[in-house]
Amino acid sequence: MADLARLSDRNFLVIGRAGMDLYADPPGTRTEEATRFTAALGGSSANIAAALVRQGCRASLVTCVSDDAVGRFCLHQLDAYGIDRTHVRSVAGEARNSLAVVETRLEDCQSVIYRNNAADFAMTASDIERPDYARYAALITTGTVLAAEPSRAAAFRAFELARAAGLPLIFDVDYRPYSWPSAAVAADVYSRAGALCDVIVGNDVEFGFMAGDAEKGLDKARSLIASGAQIVVYKRGEKGSVTVTRDGEFATGIFPTQALKPTGAGDSFLGAFVAALAEGRPVGEAVLRGSAAAAMVVARVGCAPAMPTRTELDAFLATHPGPTL
């Protein structure tokens, strides 16, 4: 079991994809009716890294991008957000960067994800072995990185190296069915990963999937604590979340907001939640800050561009009523 006090170093190693998001513009436009799009940094791991930096932390990303204009766009965006890309490798050949075509709409929001021969799945053990793990406060990964080889084996190698260096392992389940060869493979791999991690965050569908029964997701979250995890956050959408720790469990509601779209909430939650833990805030307060960040992001255009700064998050919490259950 890793010491979560190490999070106070506030320098995080994040593994997983960076991509390009194309948003139909202006907000409210359906993709099939759009004549223009706005480009932004995307990809769950890159979004989390952006959220951490906006909250005053440092973040380094380990991934692969395509050696083409879209891959270079991602590299430039990582620089613009202040995310360290020393360990991001460009891959030539037929691999292509993750691309998402997304709408800023709350109802019937369409997201078209292009992940064929995704460049980030080309990450290997040699990529993972390059960072000096002793420099970091924790390793953060999302479930997407586990969906294909050689990325999956590389991620488990990262877990080994992080554990050897005493780093806490933070895992956002982030289940994307279209990335996996089968649901059975995904459930097995996620369970293996969850059993190794200290902090696990996911939604009710993801935990239910891991449990093999949609009705047993919370039981799965509790079982992860029993098997060694220190904090598990079981998110329930509009119903808020249940946080399970070794000291017990508690429910947290959501902050009312005028949402523009449903995307980005999970990445913003994780970034603000981890940043709050790194500041030494109690788990309950960290969940509140994550929930507030999620409410802010769904009310803004984009994902990475919508991540709040620490000052913005503090102002939101000072001026908005508490979360509702």
Side-chain angles (χ1 to χ4, degrees):
M1 180 179 69
D3 184 359
L4 294 185
R6 184 164 182 160
L7 298 178
S8 64
D9 290 342
R10 305 181 71 190
N11 184 19
F12 297 97
L13 187 64
V14 185
I15 62 174
R17 64 191 173 104
M20 175 189 276
D21 286 352
L22 295 177
Y23 288 89
D25 189 55
T29 304
R30 296 181 66 84
T31 298
E32 55 264 40
E33 298 168 354
T35 59
R36 66 187 188 193
F37 293 83
T38 300
L41 178 67
S44 52
S45 293
N47 288 339
I48 291 167
L52 287 165
V53 172
R54 288 271 176 92
Q55 289 294 308
C57 301
R58 290 174 290 163
S60 299
L61 187 67
V62 184
T63 193
C64 293
V65 297
S66 53
D67 186 15
D68 56 23
V70 177
R72 289 188 290 276
F73 170 88
C74 294
L75 296 178
H76 293 160
Q77 286 290 298
L78 292 172
D79 290 341
Y81 281 92
I83 300 166
D84 181 3
R85 62 174 177 90
T86 302
H87 304 299
V88 177
R89 178 169 61 90
S90 297
V91 294
E94 296 301 314
R96 291 292 178 264
N97 230 77
S98 176
L99 179 68
V101 183
V102 191
E103 296 172 349
T104 305
R105 295 165 52 86
L106 190 59
E107 295 183 2
D108 301 321
C109 180
Q110 301 179 100
S111 296
V112 181
I113 313 294
Y114 292 88
R115 295 281 289 154
N116 295 11
N117 199 19
D120 53 284
F121 285 149
M123 184 177 64
T124 66
S126 63
D127 295 309
I128 286 298
E129 290 168 355
R130 287 166 56 198
D132 177 5
Y133 285 75
R135 293 180 49 223
Y136 298 99
L139 175 70
I140 300 174
T141 189
T142 72
T144 306
V145 76
L146 300 169
E149 297 289 5
S151 177
R152 182 186 307 157
F156 279 108
R157 175 60 175 154
F159 288 177
E160 293 176 358
L161 294 170
R163 183 63 76 214
L167 272 63
L169 304 182
I170 300 172
F171 179 46
D172 188 331
V173 180
D174 192 34
Y175 176 50
R176 311 293 180 100
Y178 54 78
S179 293
W180 288 85
S182 73
V185 170
D188 175 67
V189 173
Y190 278 144
S191 293
R192 287 169 52 204
L196 297 171
C197 293
D198 298 287
V199 180
I200 304 155
V201 178
N203 61 37
D204 47 1
V205 174
E206 291 165 339
F207 280 111
F209 171 76
M210 291 172 67
D213 185 333
E215 301 299 319
K216 296 183 178 179
L218 186 53
D219 290 338
K220 179 64 177 181
R222 291 166 175 153
S223 74
L224 288 167
I225 291 292
S227 62
Q230 300 183 59
I231 303 171
V232 178
V233 182
Y234 176 83
K235 297 184 295 184
R236 304 179 297 169
E238 294 182 355
K239 297 179 180 179
S241 63
V242 175
T243 302
V244 187
T245 73
R246 294 181 179 182
D247 295 324
E249 60 186 66
F250 58 88
T252 305
I254 63 169
F255 285 85
T257 189
Q258 292 294 319
L260 293 177
K261 75 339 179 171
T263 54
D267 298 336
S268 59
F269 176 94
L270 189 72
F273 171 69
V274 171
L277 292 177
E279 292 175 1
R281 298 178 188 268
V283 176
E285 186 177 349
V287 173
L288 281 176
R289 291 181 72 84
S291 298
M296 294 177 74
V297 167
V298 297
R300 297 175 169 184
V301 176
C303 290
M307 299 298 170
T309 65
R310 184 165 47 179
T311 299
E312 290 173 330
L313 183 55
D314 288 341
F316 179 94
L317 286 163
T319 57
H320 284 70
T324 58
L325 280 171

